[in-house]
């Protein structure tokens, strides 16, 4: 029998614990932030890649995604939420 918290209600897909993500989203980046600076922001954690997103006109959006080597490192990155990068605090989620 499936526990109630894991029951499929048909309204959304359940992600099994084994499929936890190694990617975190960052928001509030200074527009001049580079991918290298974003990787440096997470110093001490094993970052495998960082991507800064751009709007339709090619300008930085102030958002990005960072991929870590493992789930535990991605969870550890959440501790960087509200830390400063340049003059701005960055949301990590």
């Amino acid at each position: 029998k499936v526990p109630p918290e894991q029951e499929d209600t048909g309204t959304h897909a359940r992600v099994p614990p084994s499929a936890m993500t190694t990617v975190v989203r960052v928001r509030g980046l200074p527009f001049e932030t580079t991918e290298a600076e974003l990787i440096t922001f997470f110093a001490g954690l094993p970052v495998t890649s960082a991507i800064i997103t751009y709007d339709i006109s090619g300008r930085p959006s102030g958002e990005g995604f960072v991929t870590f080597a493992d789930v535990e490192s991605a969870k550890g990155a959440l501790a960087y939420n509200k830390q400063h990068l340049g003059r701005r605090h960055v949301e990590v989620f």
Side-chain angles (χ1 to χ4, degrees), residues 26-30 61-63 85 88-91:
V26 291
R27 180 168 53 194
L29 296 171
S61 67
E63 296 187 8
L85 178 60
R88 301 193 54 158
H89 72 271
V90 177
E91 294 178 73

Side-chain angles (χ1 to χ4, degrees), residues 26-35 37-38 41 52-54 59-64 83-91:
V26 291
R27 180 168 53 194
L29 296 171
F31 293 125
E32 64 275 4
T33 303
T34 66
E35 277 125 0
E37 290 169 327
L38 189 51
F41 176 72
I52 304 241
T53 60
Y54 295 84
R59 293 184 298 234
S61 67
E63 296 187 8
Q83 297 297 312
H84 281 84
L85 178 60
R87 299 176 313 280
R88 301 193 54 158
H89 72 271
V90 177
E91 294 178 73

